[in-house]
Amino acid sequence: MPNASQPRADAVLSAPELRVDEEAIRANVRYFSRLTRGRLMAVMKADAFGHGPVASAAIEEGATALGVASLDEALTLRRCGLDVPILSWLNPVGADFASAVSQRIDLGVSSADALQAVVRVAHRLGHRARLHLHADLGMSRDGAPASEWRSLCELARMAERQGYAQVVGIMGHMSCADRPNDPQNLRERLRFDAAVRSARRRGLAPAVTHLAATAATITGIGGDHDLHRVGAGLYGIDPSRTSSELRFALSLRAPVISARRVGAHVSVGYGARFITDRPTHLALLPLGYADGLPRAASHRAEVLVRGRRRPIVGLISMDMAVIDTGDDFLTPGETVTVFGPGDQGEPTVADWARWSETIEHEIVTRIGARVSRVQRRTQRKEPE
């Protein structure tokens, strides 16, 4: 990620810019900290869902642990001096487990091969690896299948007796938590409870169990466990569509490159998929699908300019998008808001997800490296 900088109120955009509102993230963390009664693991995977260095803010506002997918992400957080539990749950058997063990990174383990790879490293170093055994509850992706769960627990207990591992957690993930009334949720909760009981019968004593992510935390269907792994919600995304308290934290803006007046029956973009039906004005933005604007949103998406929403017309290109500004002739350099929190009538990440027939998670994590990031940091007051 490019280095974040403090924005100037009078700055004129010279290139597309993604602004990260740290106070919005802080407010979302406070909401989830209250909701979970302080049992919050803030998920920072994929560069904090594209929001950058916000882990410290999450901890300051009540998160007690951090979660990521890859070990590289976990080690990056630890190198930042964050002295809280950090869990990484998606690693190949050849990952740098030596660094994980020495840096006190908790590791999600879902197979005997992964467990044995970690234990071998811990044995060589003379340390205990901190493990969270991961049970598959019905998604058939990460997590140990039910047929392998008993043997995984037995191997983990053997490693504990040998002094090379400590099972500190049992984890699972729900497939339909965004639909709280789906009967699959009950089935998966029962499977998780059974997995925890099975682990304890085999002598394991995990300090924490965790099942709920954002949707299950908001709706309460996974609320009776020790931790909640909340990622999307910290950034304003509610997959369950039931909370009105979350705030989007990203604003994407771009300067107009050029503008022109065209007549009726003029084609725009590749394939001549759009033909003007009247004389109008067009403006060119230096943003395209290489920067994260989904091509699937072509002919549907809108932007905000001069206080009005205007449609993107023609196919979104790799580097460019064209907007139809009607009677307004835009000046090169004028700022267009592609998406934001919606307070000023601009499109939101949810709008872009709907236009692209995808989810908000994909929109916020796909903004390309050419777009500069500006971190709008909150100045915290010291107590008097």
Side-chain angles (χ1 to χ4, degrees):
M1 171 183 292
N3 290 333
S5 60
Q6 197 72 9
R8 290 195 350 247
D10 60 345
V12 175
L13 290 186
S14 59
E17 175 183 274
L18 186 70
R19 289 193 172 190
V20 183
D21 182 356
E22 186 181 288
E23 178 49 40
I25 295 173
R26 287 180 180 273
N28 294 334
V29 174
R30 290 193 294 269
Y31 167 74
F32 281 105
S33 184
R34 293 193 302 271
L35 201 60
T36 63
R37 298 181 183 140
R39 300 171 297 166
L40 173 61
M41 175 182 287
V43 177
M44 296 285 133
K45 64 181 181 178
D47 195 26
F49 285 61
H51 291 68
V54 297
S56 294
I59 293 168
E60 289 173 3
E61 298 300 340
T64 57
L66 301 174
V68 292
S70 75
L71 186 49
D72 284 346
E73 294 172 317
L75 292 171
T76 296
L77 291 174
R78 187 65 88 208
R79 284 193 293 269
C80 292
L82 300 173
D83 190 21
V84 296
I86 301 175
L87 170 64
S88 167
W89 57 75
L90 189 63
N91 296 293
V93 293
D96 183 11
F97 294 130
S99 293
V101 172
S102 62
Q103 294 296 318
R104 298 174 294 110
I105 302 297
D106 292 8
L107 295 167
V109 171
S110 58
S111 71
D113 289 340
L115 177 62
Q116 290 167 348
V118 174
V119 169
R120 281 194 297 269
V121 170
H123 182 195
R124 188 175 75 246
L125 295 176
H127 294 309
R128 285 181 184 266
R130 292 170 53 88
L131 306 179
H132 294 238
L133 301 188
H134 191 169
D136 176 24
L137 306 179
M139 297 188 75
S140 302
R141 45 171 214 177
D142 198 14
S147 60
E148 300 174 13
W149 182 251
R150 175 177 174 176
S151 62
L152 181 63
C153 293
E154 290 172 348
L155 282 172
R157 180 58 183 145
M158 183 183 303
E160 284 192 332
R161 291 195 194 100
Q162 294 169 341
Y164 304 130
Q166 179 187 4
V167 175
V168 297
I170 304 290
M171 63 185 292
H173 196 73
M174 304 182 75
S175 62
C176 300
D178 58 335
R179 303 193 301 270
N181 296 320
D182 194 305
Q184 181 69 4
N185 292 319
L186 177 58
R187 288 191 285 269
E188 292 180 357
R189 284 171 55 89
L190 292 174
R191 289 170 187 163
F192 187 66
D193 291 343
V196 173
R197 289 195 302 270
S198 177
R200 288 177 172 152
R201 281 198 302 269
R202 283 158 182 83
L204 299 175
V208 294
T209 59
H210 45 112
L211 174 64
T214 294
T217 298
I218 292 174
T219 61
I221 62 173
D224 50 355
H225 292 282
D226 305 298
L227 278 178
H228 295 250
R229 300 185 311 272
V230 178
L234 305 183
Y235 314 107
I237 299 170
D238 173 16
S240 72
R241 303 288 191 272
T242 60
S243 176
S244 60
E245 296 193 39
L246 301 182
R247 294 165 53 184
F248 284 119
L250 290 183
S251 296
L252 177 60
R253 307 189 307 155
V256 171
I257 294 292
S258 62
R260 68 183 69 189
R261 178 175 174 79
V262 298
H265 313 300
V266 173
S267 64
V268 179
Y270 282 118
R273 299 285 186 88
F274 178 83
I275 308 292
T276 59
D277 60 3
R278 69 196 189 290
T280 191
H281 293 91
L282 304 177
L284 179 66
L285 300 182
L287 281 172
Y289 57 77
D291 305 294
L293 299 190
R295 195 168 187 262
S298 301
H299 310 300
R300 304 177 189 177
E302 299 173 334
V303 298
L304 187 74
V305 58
R306 295 187 182 178
R308 294 184 60 182
R309 285 200 184 192
R310 297 294 192 176
I312 291 179
V313 294
L315 289 175
I316 294 173
S317 304
M318 178 180 286
D319 314 298
M320 293 174 276
V322 177
I323 57 176
D324 183 342
T325 61
D327 293 334
D328 291 338
F329 183 82
L330 301 191
T331 303
E334 279 196 63
T335 296
V336 172
T337 300
V338 179
F339 60 70
D343 299 338
Q344 306 299 318
E346 73 274 18
T348 65
V349 169
D351 289 327
W352 274 89
R354 185 178 69 257
W355 294 326
S356 309
E357 298 183 359
T358 186
I359 57 177
E360 292 101 311
H361 312 54
E362 183 175 351
I363 301 300
V364 299
T365 57
R366 67 183 295 167
I367 304 302
R370 295 191 301 190
V371 179
S372 64
R373 270 67 169 174
V374 176
Q375 213 80 16
R376 301 184 66 181
R377 300 189 184 280
T378 304
Q379 299 298 321
R380 295 180 60 80
K381 295 181 179 179
E382 296 297 327
E384 296 179 359

